[in-house]
């Protein structure tokens, strides 16, 4: 499932390759992915505009759009959510395609055009498509981002310290709460907790300042590494998340449980509750 780093690669792809290209066609026929919009509604709203910026908060991504016919009044924001495995494919006017989003699975089948759930066609002949075999992505105008906490990449140490030590919920559940910090999913949470040597079930209120500082450093490092390497699956502890797995740092057995409603793995020695 895409977490912040995967969405960031998609956002960066759009920012680098899809801005300022005039939209001349929109395929918004998939009424499930484009709900609640009726077919043609997105086309009517976007045709004649350009994308002017690609933004992200947590796992939510949106594009700002230009006014029509040189008008300075901006168009609507176009929200694109990658769902469970969606990818953004941007094609140049010369037909060269570049992809951003989750990792391409080694067993990935060739891209089928019917798995393009939403497409913008540009005047230069290129396009931007949401390629989403599982059809769990979502495209909508003016997505609501007010319910999201600060982006995990932007949150300050002071903000994070307050968020992570308040209340008595399991620290992993707090990390996953998008209304508190936006962008941390299940794998990233396990990676951060392992890096910081904090038990996933430790109550937030029991964490000390130095725990919060270690978690913040781990968050920053894990995000930077995952963005550079192409996704959260590249985290150090991720390959050890299986029965019989051992901690890549100390060699102790990895243990499994459900924390914050999610499948969780931690080091039996360094992250003991
Ligand atoms: Zn260990």
């Amino acid at each position: 499932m895409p977490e912040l780093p995967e969405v960031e690669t998609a956002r960066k792809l759009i920012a680098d390759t899809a801005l300022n290209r005039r939209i001349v066609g929109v395929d918004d026929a998939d009424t499930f992915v484009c709900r609640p919009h009726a077919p043609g509604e997105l086309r009517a709203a976007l045709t004649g505009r350009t994308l002017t910026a690609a933004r992200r908060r947590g796992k939510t991504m949106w594009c700002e759009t230009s006014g029509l016919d040189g008008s300075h009044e901006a168009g609507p924001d176009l929200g694109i959510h990658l769902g469970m495995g969606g990818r953004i494919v941007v094609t140049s006017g010369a037909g060269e395609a570049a992809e951003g989003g989750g990792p391409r699975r080694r067993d990935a089948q060739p891209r089928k055009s019917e798995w393009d759930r939403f497409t913008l066609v540009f005047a230069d002949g290129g396009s931007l498509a949401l390629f989403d075999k599982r059809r769990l992505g979502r495209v909508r105008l003016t997505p609501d981002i007010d319910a999201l906490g600060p982006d995990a990449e932007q949150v300050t140490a002071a903000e994070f310290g307050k968020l992570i030590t308040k209340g008595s919920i399991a620290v992993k559940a707090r990390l996953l709460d998008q209304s508190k910090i936006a962008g941390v999913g299940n794998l990233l949470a396990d990676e951060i907790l392992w890096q910081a040597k904090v038990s996933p079930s430790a109550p937030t209120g029991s964490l000390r300042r130095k725990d919060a500082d270690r978690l913040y450093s781990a968050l920053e490092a894990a995000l930077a590494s995952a963005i550079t390497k192409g996704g959260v699956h590249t985290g150090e502890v991720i390959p050890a998340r299986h029965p019989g797995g051992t901690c890549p740092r100390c060699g102790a057995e990895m243990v499994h449980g459900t924390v914050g409603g999610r499948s969780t793995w931690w080091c039996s020695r360094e992250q003991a509750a």
Side-chain angles (χ1 to χ4, degrees), residues 139-257:
V139 176
R140 62 179 307 171
L141 297 177
T142 56
D144 181 16
I145 57 161
D146 293 341
L148 297 172
D151 182 80
E153 218 191 349
Q154 315 261 315
V155 68
T156 65
E159 279 177 307
F160 181 83
K162 269 187 218 153
L163 289 167
I164 210 71
T165 55
K166 206 185 270 180
S168 57
I169 194 170
V171 59
K172 179 167 178 182
R174 176 60 48 82
L175 284 171
L176 293 172
D177 183 345
Q178 303 298 303
S179 73
K180 298 291 195 295
I181 308 160
V184 179
N186 197 41
L187 292 185
L188 197 55
D190 277 9
E191 177 73 17
I192 292 164
L193 291 160
W194 177 79
Q195 292 279 4
K197 302 182 188 174
V198 170
S199 165
S201 57
T204 45
S206 74
L207 297 178
R208 282 178 274 176
R209 173 73 186 272
K210 65 178 174 37
D211 300 316
D213 288 347
R214 273 206 322 283
L215 283 165
Y216 184 71
S217 301
L219 170 69
E220 288 201 311
L223 280 174
S225 171
I227 289 169
T228 306
K229 294 178 181 168
V232 292
H233 65 291
T234 63
E236 263 184 85
V237 81
I238 307 307
R241 293 173 84 261
H242 63 84
T246 55
C247 173
R249 193 166 44 215
C250 76
E253 188 191 353
M254 294 292 291
V255 282
H256 178 254

